[in-house]
Amino acid sequence: MNWTVALPELVLACAAMAILMVGVFRKDDAGFAATMLTLGALLAGGVLVLGAPSGTGFNGLWINDAFSGFNKVLILAAAALALIVSMDFNARQGIGRFEYPVLLLLSVVGALVMVSANDLMTLYLGLELMSLALYVAAAFDRDSVRSSEAGLKYFVLGALASGLLLYGMSLTYGFAGTTSFADIARALGNVPSTGLVVGIVFIVAGLCFKISAVPFHMWTPDVYEGAPTPVTAFFSTAPKVAAIALLLRVLIDPFGAMITQWQQLIVLVSIGSMVLGALAALGQTNIKRLMAYSSIGHVGYALIGLAAGTETGVRGVLLYMAIYVAMNAGTFACIVAMRRRGHAVERIEDLAGLARTDGMMAGFFAVFMFSMAGIPPLAGFFSKLYVFLAAVEAGMWTLAVIGVVTSVIGAYYYLRIIKVMYFDAPTEVFEPRAGGVSLVIAGTGLFNVLFFLLPAPLVAAAAAAARALFG
């Protein structure tokens, strides 16, 4: 049993337990100490992931390859950004307790397990570990009715999605006779049975819930709006990367022979997500709800690459998620900085005249909005370009055209935010930002602006990860 392949996850799990004990016994500034230790653990986890050996472990339940490594680094980076953004916000909101970073760390462990899953059992173990921590994190602001409601909605609907996933897994096990991805792939060498087709439909449905894809998106706007903003920032990045990676692994690896069956399903989900994300956000006045519908649309664009079912398509998806993490983390850092008179404000009109009261924040906010709209030469343009090219290469012209049209429609609500910041009359200024928030805004903003100068390293890493998945 090669346990060293899971060394990053084991270290992070032990670190979570140790940090919990530190928080219990340390009376003063326990929240700050726990956050610093968690950031250190995430950094250590990143180093271990980069040095982890390739191969399988735990009798084939676990797999380490370039694909898992790429996504794990992305998840750890997203978690670190969300944690840095949360420090000042949680302290000001009165929720700066030490349990918060521990919950995020346990959720990250679950996400890393998902990415390395090589068996249906490992898949479910990682998914539930990640989800249970997220349910609590959504309701972390106990004095807020909206936060409690968000946690409850996410829990109830998450339980339903877990049921769908388990039913699909049980059907797959019943008709394939195994839970191992490699053995399922061998079992599908013959003509797949109807039971397996139904099983894969339920598995895809369960995973679509985790990535907020239509028609399993209904929880997203309410949870994004109700949860504390740093929690929403985490929701929209790390767990989404893990769920997309798991969906790629499951459909390409064990169910690769059934591409004609699941491809139609992914195309429908992708089109539905793009259309709903573009249209439903048009009338939003709360920026967190707008970002929720925006995330639904972005998942639709990412799924274009999976629908292509090719190595080029998977490379496009991975590149899209990497750039999406940078865009989203920066945007939510700007939203965290929206505070007046000791309270967080979330309406789009609260940004009126920001360019004249805080030029730096307005400038980077505009960069994120232009990037999400896919305006060249920002990073968001290249993320969409790679998935659209994959669709065109696979002959999916209709999917690519719908993607371009919905991108044009979606650009309206991104540009509306820029218009409010630069052309509306200024309102009351925001409170001074914390250094960590400014650091995340500047770092992710510069990444979006300068990506076109040196895209090769990220593109090469995504290409190597895609090759590893296709073996």
Side-chain angles (χ1 to χ4, degrees), residues 80-385:
L81 291 172
L83 200 55
I84 291 169
V85 162
S86 72
M87 291 171 63
D88 181 67
F89 181 94
N90 287 0
R92 293 193 191 189
Q93 289 290 110
I95 56 173
R97 295 185 289 273
F98 68 87
E99 296 93 343
Y100 177 80
V102 175
L103 282 171
L104 258 57
L105 190 53
L106 289 172
S107 179
V108 166
V109 173
L112 300 186
V113 172
M114 287 168 65
V115 171
S116 277
N118 198 35
D119 188 283
L120 293 176
M121 294 295 102
T122 319
L123 177 160
Y124 191 71
L125 180 70
L127 188 73
E128 285 307 299
L129 177 56
M130 181 186 79
S131 299
L132 289 171
L134 290 180
Y135 299 149
V136 181
F140 198 74
D141 190 355
R142 293 176 297 190
D143 297 328
S144 166
V145 175
R146 288 198 314 167
S147 181
S148 300
E149 181 186 342
L152 187 60
K153 282 182 178 177
Y154 193 29
F155 171 68
V156 171
L157 293 171
L160 174 64
S162 292
L164 293 174
L165 184 67
L166 275 175
Y167 185 58
M169 287 166 54
S170 64
L171 282 172
T172 302
Y173 174 66
F175 284 91
T178 179
T179 57
S180 166
F181 287 178
D183 292 339
I184 290 172
R186 279 192 287 272
L188 290 176
N190 306 318
V191 179
S193 64
T194 306
L196 271 174
V197 174
V198 175
I200 197 171
V201 168
F202 277 98
I203 289 174
V204 170
L207 294 178
C208 279
F209 175 88
K210 296 300 176 187
I211 60 174
S212 315
V214 171
F216 306 99
H217 65 283
M218 67 292 289
W219 61 275
T220 314
D222 290 337
V223 173
Y224 271 45
E225 182 185 6
T229 306
V231 176
T232 307
F234 181 70
F235 273 171
S236 64
T237 51
K240 200 154 286 190
V241 171
I244 287 278
L246 184 57
L247 192 60
L248 289 170
R249 172 91 69 188
V250 168
L251 293 183
I252 299 296
D253 195 357
F255 295 111
M258 294 173 65
I259 186 170
T260 52
Q261 280 82 12
W262 59 253
Q263 194 174 44
Q264 306 163 43
L265 197 60
I266 298 300
V267 167
L268 288 173
V269 168
S270 175
I271 292 173
S273 300
M274 289 188 292
V275 171
L276 182 112
L279 299 179
L282 293 176
Q284 298 302 318
T285 56
N286 183 293
I287 195 162
K288 285 168 72 176
R289 288 187 76 87
L290 185 145
M291 289 304 298
Y293 287 111
S294 167
S295 76
I296 294 168
H298 282 292
V299 163
Y301 298 127
L303 290 178
I304 290 176
L306 175 56
T310 61
E311 190 176 311
T312 306
V314 171
R315 182 193 65 178
V317 176
L318 295 175
L319 197 61
Y320 197 101
M321 294 312 296
I323 293 171
Y324 172 76
V325 164
M327 294 189 298
N328 235 46
T331 303
F332 275 102
C334 291
I335 296 172
V336 164
M338 293 170 61
R339 295 187 68 87
R340 287 198 183 107
R341 302 177 189 176
H343 297 286
V345 291
E346 299 171 358
R347 295 175 304 169
I348 293 172
E349 62 193 53
D350 289 317
L351 291 165
L354 182 64
R356 274 164 276 182
T357 58
D358 190 342
M360 177 257 191
M361 180 171 154
F364 280 121
F365 211 147
V367 164
F368 299 132
M369 294 299 100
F370 278 130
S371 190
M372 286 193 169
I375 307 296
L378 299 174
F381 167 76
F382 294 96
S383 65
K384 289 183 178 176
L385 177 66

Side-chain angles (χ1 to χ4, degrees), residues 360 433-443:
M360 177 257 191
R433 286 187 307 278
V437 175
S438 296
L439 180 66
V440 172
I441 292 173

